[in-house]
Amino acid sequence: MSSPTADPGPPTVDRSQRKRTPIWKHLYFWVLIGISAGILVGLLLPEVGAQMQWLATLFINLVKVVIAPVIFATVVVGIAGLGNLAKVGGLALRTVIYFNATTVVALGLGLITINLIAPGAGLGYNRETFDGSAANDTIESAGGAAGGGFTDFILNLVPTSFASAFVDGQLLQVLLLAILVGVAITMLGERGKSVVYALDSFAKVMFGVIKLVMWVAPIGAFGGIAYTIGEHGSAILGSLAQFMVTFWLTCLLFIFFCLGPICRLAGFSILKYIRYIKDELLIVLGTSSSETVLPRMMTKLEAAGTPKHVVGLTIPTGYSFNLDGTAIYMTMGAMFIAQAFGVDVPISTQIGLLLFMLISSNGAAGVSGAGLVTLAASIAAFDHIIPLVGLALIVGIDRFMSEGRALTNLTGNGIGTLVIARWTGELDRERLEAVLDDPGQVDVDELMKAEAQGHGPGAPTAPDASAEASERKAAVATVNTGEGEVQAGRDLESGPGR
């Protein structure tokens, strides 16, 4: 509970006095335009749409350029900002426990749904005569991932050099390096403040780059949707369509009936939360990659009352350890292939598959297509029961599944961050309630601009600033009113647990 003298929270602005921003100035409007145009091109000109994938790839690559540096800088600053290794360990432990628990639930729900609906039953494919050439590239890509099991997974956590983790875009490796550097800086004490300041300033530069790149999001969404429909539209037939519908239904069940009650226990509505992140969901829908909105999600969660150090550690960890949509897809995909080939998988084997996938799903970053490779690597370990060549059945529709995976991953990671902040007693509940009731008071583009200028959430303090100034970091949301602009600020450190 906050003390009587604590900051009562951000000033509120009467909605009736706020000057509404024209819809054409919102990013989600242009993303919707891009998605709609992509659907039309894919349906009317499928040959043209099938050539548009490069637009989505260009946008994803532009974002990926800054993802690893942003994760490294924010995790290091978050850990060093705590100044207490015991507190860091407690936050990390809660994060891992929560994410693994929800992943187990997602894997189990996928198994239950696929067994009940059985969309692959009756297809009657034969392992000996089935043509699996369509999955050759995926199986080859998954070969390395399946080779060493748990030992290989542990070894892959450590990069061959400090720079290789960033060059290869390995988020788990970047996360490990960030934790080590953050702990080392904490042990330096006062001498580490200048390093924290430099890294925080560097992160602000990266946020500025992201703000510029986001203007390309509508074009990326257009290319991604046009390619998906133009290239794979004809694949939605028979049992494959039933499998897709079953998967999307399972994702919705997980979000509303598993994550929904968790949100309620944490004190907020999942429907209001989804409304709050609608822009990011639309971008992910168009690009099939949850990585494209990682910096925007971090900014929005900070603006919604989550301390910077919680966001900085939890969100990057979630992108490696909390891929709920990928977990659902993996168990359902494996069992669908088994059903299609008439293989009766015993319950004991299904439990073993679930446990194996709990490990193999960790580190499957939210990049489009990673789920299929991870699925192939998992099935390879059970190839004596589930035919790996059956992966060719779902290669053609994987793009449609990828969007469902990415949307579920994004939703789960954001909720996990809020829940963990609530668990640690550091969530500004009054601020969260105000933001979810009126999402218009948070302009993420303005906040990212403020971040880039060093005035946004978690603005760096000078290395020689006083301890009191170092602990007080203002999050600023610019709200337009009929009489001009006002700044709604909040102290991230005052009143935890409100």
Side-chain angles (χ1 to χ4, degrees):
M1 295 294 294
S2 303
S3 64
T5 58
D7 184 354
T12 58
V13 179
D14 190 343
R15 298 187 195 185
S16 63
Q17 295 180 349
R18 186 182 308 149
K19 182 180 179 182
R20 296 185 66 87
T21 304
I23 190 172
W24 55 269
K25 288 188 177 181
H26 288 284
L27 179 63
Y28 76 82
F29 170 76
W30 293 106
V31 172
L32 277 174
I33 294 293
I35 291 175
S36 301
I39 292 174
L40 289 176
V41 170
L43 291 175
L44 301 178
L45 301 170
E47 297 84 2
V48 176
Q51 305 300 317
M52 294 289 102
Q53 185 182 19
W54 70 274
L55 291 174
T57 302
L58 173 65
F59 172 66
I60 293 172
N61 288 343
L62 283 171
V63 176
K64 286 174 63 179
V65 166
V66 296
I67 289 298
V70 164
I71 287 179
F72 179 80
T74 52
V75 171
V76 171
V77 172
I79 292 175
L82 283 173
N84 186 322
L85 293 183
K87 197 172 182 181
V88 173
L91 177 60
L93 180 62
R94 286 180 171 90
T95 301
V96 172
I97 290 174
Y98 173 84
F99 284 159
N100 277 279
T102 55
T103 300
V104 169
V105 172
L107 289 166
L109 181 62
L111 279 179
I112 293 171
T113 308
I114 198 71
N115 278 290
L116 289 177
I117 300 178
L123 289 181
Y125 287 107
N126 186 288
R127 183 195 292 253
E128 302 299 329
T129 60
F130 182 78
D131 181 12
S133 58
N136 286 344
D137 292 340
T138 303
I139 294 172
E140 182 178 350
S141 300
F150 181 76
T151 302
D152 193 56
F153 167 74
I154 296 298
L155 289 175
N156 284 334
L157 289 176
V158 183
T160 55
S161 69
F162 197 95
S164 67
F166 298 88
V167 173
D168 298 335
Q170 297 294 322
L171 296 188
L172 268 178
Q173 295 178 358
V174 172
L175 184 61
L176 175 65
L177 292 176
I179 292 173
L180 293 175
V181 172
V183 171
I185 291 176
T186 301
M187 297 171 65
L188 287 177
E190 293 293 321
R191 295 177 61 185
K193 285 187 176 180
S194 59
V195 180
V196 175
Y197 177 76
L199 284 173
D200 205 357
S201 299
F202 174 72
K204 301 301 183 281
V205 175
M206 294 296 99
F207 274 101
V209 174
I210 285 290
K211 186 177 184 299
L212 296 175
V213 170
M214 278 300 114
W215 291 105
V216 190
I219 299 176
F222 163 76
I225 291 295
Y227 165 76
T228 299
I229 296 179
E231 179 73 14
H232 302 298
S234 60
I236 311 178
L237 300 171
S239 293
L240 293 181
Q242 187 180 0
F243 175 48
M244 288 174 51
V245 171
T246 303
F247 169 72
W248 278 82
L249 174 63
T250 306
C251 289
L252 291 175
L253 289 174
F254 176 78
I255 290 173
F256 289 105
F257 292 98
C258 295
L259 297 182
I262 293 176
C263 293
R264 193 178 304 114
L265 290 173
F268 63 95
S269 165
I270 190 170
L271 293 177
K272 291 181 178 180
Y273 164 77
I274 291 175
R275 180 181 65 175
Y276 180 56
I277 64 167
K278 67 179 184 303
D279 294 24
E280 289 68 36
L281 292 174
L282 286 172
I283 294 172
V284 169
L285 177 64
T287 60
S288 296
S289 174
S290 56
E291 280 191 336
T292 54
V293 296
L294 186 149
R296 288 177 61 91
M297 282 294 293
M298 295 176 73
T299 301
K300 273 198 168 181
L301 290 169
E302 285 186 47
T306 309
K308 181 181 179 65
H309 64 268
V310 176
V311 174
L313 182 62
T314 306
I315 279 286
T317 304
Y319 267 72
S320 293
F321 287 93
N322 189 45
L323 301 181
D324 299 321
T326 303
I328 293 171
Y329 173 76
M330 288 170 65
T331 50
M332 293 189 70
M335 292 305 300
F336 173 77
I337 292 173
Q339 292 170 2
F341 283 82
V343 177
D344 184 18
V345 183
I347 295 296
S348 58
T349 303
Q350 293 189 35
I351 294 175
L353 183 66
L354 184 150
L355 295 175
F356 184 87
M357 288 181 170
L358 177 62
I359 298 174
S360 62
S361 64
N362 290 333
V367 183
S368 178
L372 186 64
V373 175
T374 311
L375 172 62
S378 300
I379 295 178
F382 292 81
D383 188 39
H384 60 288
I385 299 176
I386 304 173
L388 183 58
V389 292
L391 200 70
L393 283 173
I394 57 178
V395 167
I397 59 170
D398 179 70
R399 180 75 185 194
F400 293 99
M401 318 290 274
S402 179
E403 286 145 357
R405 295 196 302 263
L407 290 169
T408 307
N409 293 341
L410 176 69
T411 304
N413 284 334
I415 290 174
T417 302
L418 294 173
V419 169
I420 291 167
R422 176 73 173 90
W423 189 2
T424 58
E426 297 179 278
L427 179 65
D428 187 339
R429 296 167 64 186
E430 291 180 4
R431 176 62 178 164
L432 175 62
E433 183 179 357
V435 166
L436 294 186
D437 285 341
D438 184 16
Q441 65 180 281
V442 175
D443 187 333
V444 69
D445 294 320
E446 288 297 325
L447 284 174
M448 293 184 73
K449 179 179 178 181
E451 282 270 5
Q453 295 173 348
H455 303 300
T461 53
D464 57 349
S466 65
E468 180 180 357
S470 299
E471 293 173 358
R472 298 180 60 84
K473 300 178 181 180
V476 180
T478 301
V479 183
N480 294 324
T481 69
E483 300 176 354
E485 291 188 342
V486 298
Q487 288 184 324
R490 66 181 177 86
D491 187 345
L492 288 177
E493 302 299 333
S494 64
R498 289 184 298 171

